[in-house]
Amino acid sequence: MSQCAYLNSKQEKDPTFWNTWAQKTLKNALTLQTLNTNKAKNVILFLGDGMGVPTVTATRILKGQLSGHYGEETQLEMDKFPFVSLAKTYNTDAQVPDSAGTATAYLCGVKANEGTLGVSAAAVRSQCNTTKGNEVTSILKWAKDAGKSVGIVTTTRVNHATPSAAYAHCVDRDWYSDNEMPAEALMHGCKDIARQLFENIPNIDVIMGGGRKFMYPQNTSDVEYPTQPKMSGTRKDGRNLVQEWIDKMKDKKGNYVWNKQQLLSLNPNNVDYLLGLFEPSELAYELERNNDSDPSLTEMVDVAIKVLKKNQNGFYLLVEGGRIDHGHHEGKAKLALYDAVEMDRAIGRADLLTSIHETLTVVTADHSHVFTFGGYTLRGNSIFGLAPKVSDADQKPFTAISYGNGPGYKIVNGGRENISTVNYESSHYQAQAAVPLLSETHGGDDVAVFAKGPMAHLLHGIHEQNYIPHVMAYAACIGQNQNHCMSSGGTVGLQPAFSSMASVLAVTRFLW
């Protein structure tokens, strides 16, 4: 037991410790009666892909244990946010959602079909001819149209599901470049997602993540992996989208970077536009990241905010901890949770660079996973460790962490694998699963929505996921609903969102 944990255990035996802590929390809660109704100059959305509530809890424990504590009592940065609600994540055609339909909801304010980006539910997945007329715009575009700077930072490819809904209108999330599109879709004029990144919303101020290979002509060797064909360019149209961006921005203080050294050597005061593509596809998991060549999510967020905040009109920033989801799909909880800890670190960095008085920050997930932990583990048990007793059914040990389905399902000699024979604390250990699948699935449960800053109190109770960008736009006085924005003194009025009773009645009839 560490010294920190030992001191905690001594304190916790004294009722005064718990009473004092609760009274301090109560005193803080009473201050929340004074609502922050300022206008949000800046808006930041942190999206933990696949970060369901069990993942949040396990991340909290891991963060504490990495600091030598038991872990359960630790506070994540998102835990400090004063307002928390739940979002219902289903897609219009799916009880258990995917990341594209959910991204359309929390970015565009409209629920959509599974696998579709920036289009309404009238669009059908993979059917190009259902795109036109069904496009919906995102809060990133609303912010850009209002004169704010806008940015996207992700640990996945920049044309992956989550960031794509901010700028693309695409009936198939897998159309990363024209190489992945069917001939029929190209013939009917549908554009690949990488192309839309540079064409749909001109001059997105900051773009950082992976996905280099989808920007270059087919068979173009990658700058970092020149001898690996699978890292080479994929585009059939022969376009070099990166060079096109560089040429366009050469007189606009635009900078393209592809490694950590280049990124951190920039002076944000001399950068108005930034394109950072750090891998051909996804960025490395945090546990496997090359600290010399690859920037962390926190480092990317730091630079992004410093570039964006120069705009006197403020900014909108989308930040995705995208590989939490990938770790879970692989059944490798350690990879997922370390990425979640890193995203929480990035949230803390953003807090230091902004003010709660003028910045609305929201942290949420697109969906959950069938990840859980249990087994009556004792206080301070390693989050990756064993339950204290063996199974009373097969007399074998088991880890606290398990999955409802996934690649961790394994039968050895007609029974469940005896995990005492494997290294269950390794980075690539696949936790045992109840149902065999090559890839573990999403969960259908609600996800938490943490909020702080102007109008954060509007994220309360249980809501549909598409409610989130409407609140963020309302707070920032952008988008469709600005009738309340005439107040003086920097505060936003509390008039109802609908200007007349007729509007309310119309919506009521629609809902029935």
Side-chain angles (χ1 to χ4, degrees):
M1 183 189 298
S2 72
Q3 185 68 17
C4 290
Y6 177 71
L7 291 173
N8 273 353
S9 67
K10 286 185 69 176
Q11 287 179 316
E12 291 173 5
K13 291 175 182 176
D14 183 354
T16 305
F17 169 78
W18 297 107
N19 289 328
T20 302
W21 190 355
Q23 286 295 318
K24 183 179 178 182
T25 305
L26 176 60
K27 186 176 180 181
N28 181 61
L30 289 169
T31 66
L32 298 180
Q33 292 178 327
T34 305
L35 300 177
N36 182 345
T37 58
N38 293 345
K39 179 179 177 180
K41 178 181 178 181
N42 310 313
V43 182
I44 305 175
L45 177 63
F46 280 93
L47 193 287
D49 198 313
M51 191 181 70
V53 173
T55 299
V56 172
T57 308
T59 300
R60 179 186 305 127
I61 293 171
L62 175 59
K63 179 184 177 182
Q65 292 180 348
L66 289 173
S67 300
H69 297 276
Y70 283 137
E72 298 84 2
E73 72 295 331
T74 300
Q75 266 198 316
L76 293 169
E77 293 299 325
M78 64 187 93
D79 291 345
K80 301 173 187 176
F81 286 29
F83 297 97
V84 182
S85 58
L86 293 176
K88 297 190 284 183
T89 63
Y90 66 91
N91 296 147
T92 48
D93 62 345
Q95 187 178 74
V96 177
D98 94 310
S99 295
T102 51
T104 303
Y106 62 75
L107 290 173
C108 304
V110 174
K111 285 226 173 190
N113 291 328
E114 182 181 37
T116 64
L117 296 158
V119 289
S120 72
V124 181
R125 183 169 188 174
S126 303
Q127 292 188 20
C128 171
N129 62 1
T130 65
T131 308
K132 193 170 182 180
N134 293 321
E135 300 92 342
V136 292
T137 57
S138 78
I139 186 170
L140 184 138
K141 187 176 191 308
W142 311 339
K144 188 69 174 175
D145 289 346
K148 294 184 183 294
S149 293
V150 296
I152 296 169
V153 175
T154 179
T155 54
T156 66
R157 59 195 81 171
V158 293
N159 49 347
H160 208 259
T162 295
S164 296
Y167 58 82
H169 311 290
C170 191
V171 292
D172 197 313
R173 58 175 288 179
D174 296 329
W175 292 353
Y176 300 116
S177 72
D178 59 347
N179 185 60
E180 290 77 40
M181 295 177 65
E184 183 183 24
L186 291 169
M187 186 177 67
H188 282 100
C190 279
K191 297 181 183 180
D192 64 85
I193 299 169
R195 182 179 164 192
Q196 292 190 54
L197 171 61
F198 297 103
E199 295 183 0
N200 285 9
I201 302 176
N203 304 334
I204 294 176
D205 303 81
V206 173
I207 303 165
M208 280 192 274
R212 266 197 312 258
K213 69 180 184 179
F214 305 104
M215 315 300 171
Y216 288 94
Q218 208 166 29
N219 300 323
T220 303
S221 296
D222 184 74
V223 64
E224 192 172 6
Y225 309 98
T227 62
Q228 299 182 36
K230 68 176 183 179
M231 303 296 191
S232 297
T234 65
R235 303 197 63 81
K236 288 181 176 177
D237 59 9
R239 291 179 64 177
N240 183 332
L241 298 179
V242 172
Q243 190 60 51
E244 288 179 19
W245 185 92
I246 292 171
D247 293 343
K248 180 182 175 185
M249 296 298 178
K250 63 182 177 181
D251 297 322
K252 297 183 179 181
K253 293 186 179 179
N255 288 262
Y256 169 67
V257 295
W258 60 267
N259 61 47
K260 176 178 175 174
Q261 185 179 13
Q262 292 175 344
L263 175 67
L264 299 188
S265 67
L266 294 174
N267 180 348
N269 293 323
N270 298 328
V271 177
D272 288 341
Y273 298 97
L274 175 58
L275 174 62
L277 299 175
F278 303 106
E279 287 290 333
S281 190
E282 269 66 54
L283 273 59
Y285 287 109
E286 178 61 22
L287 256 179
E288 301 176 339
R289 181 172 62 86
N290 184 323
N291 196 44
D292 294 324
S293 61
D294 301 334
S296 67
L297 183 61
T298 301
E299 289 165 339
M300 290 192 290
V301 167
D302 179 88
V303 175
I305 292 177
K306 287 174 180 174
V307 171
L308 296 172
K309 70 189 296 188
K310 295 185 300 177
N311 187 337
Q312 303 226 339
N313 292 323
F315 65 83
Y316 171 84
L317 176 61
L318 168 64
V319 180
E320 182 195 19
R323 305 224 63 194
I324 302 168
D325 175 73
H326 296 167
H328 281 323
H329 278 308
E330 292 184 41
K332 298 174 181 177
K334 197 162 193 174
L335 295 179
L337 296 183
Y338 270 80
D339 265 52
V341 169
E342 172 57 24
M343 193 183 84
D344 196 64
R345 226 178 115 234
I347 294 167
R349 184 63 188 150
D351 177 72
L352 293 174
L353 293 170
T354 57
S355 165
I356 196 170
H357 301 293
E358 64 177 14
T359 302
L360 171 62
T361 305
V362 176
V363 179
T364 188
D366 45 358
H367 53 74
S368 185
H369 274 266
V370 292
F371 161 86
T372 188
F373 68 99
Y376 302 113
T377 45
L378 300 177
R379 179 73 185 280
N381 194 74
S382 166
I383 191 62
F384 305 113
L386 296 175
K389 296 181 180 179
V390 298
S391 164
D392 56 7
D394 66 8
Q395 286 70 53
K396 294 175 184 175
F398 62 99
T399 54
I401 286 174
S402 63
Y403 288 93
N405 57 48
Y409 178 94
K410 192 177 289 185
I411 297 296
V412 178
N413 296 325
R416 184 172 66 91
E417 181 180 38
N418 187 336
I419 59 170
S420 63
T421 64
V422 300
N423 181 7
Y424 51 80
E425 296 228 20
S426 77
S427 299
H428 286 267
Y429 173 69
Q430 292 178 312
Q432 292 186 329
V435 177
L437 288 176
L438 294 177
S439 177
E440 177 265 3
T441 74
H442 296 170
D445 40 314
D446 300 345
V447 295
V449 185
F450 306 84
K452 69 173 181 177
M455 294 293 174
H457 57 279
L458 297 179
L459 287 162
H460 65 284
I462 299 176
H463 295 287
E464 296 288 354
Q465 194 170 37
N466 67 294
Y467 173 67
I468 294 170
H470 290 273
V471 169
M472 300 179 87
Y474 183 89
C477 288
I478 60 177
Q480 64 181 338
N481 180 12
Q482 300 180 31
N483 295 338
H484 59 293
C485 298
M486 306 306 292
S487 300
S488 60
T491 62
V492 175
L494 290 175
Q495 296 95 326
F498 296 99
S499 58
S500 69
M501 183 56 69
S503 298
V504 176
L505 291 173
V507 171
T508 304
R509 283 198 298 271
F510 174 76
L511 290 173
W512 283 100

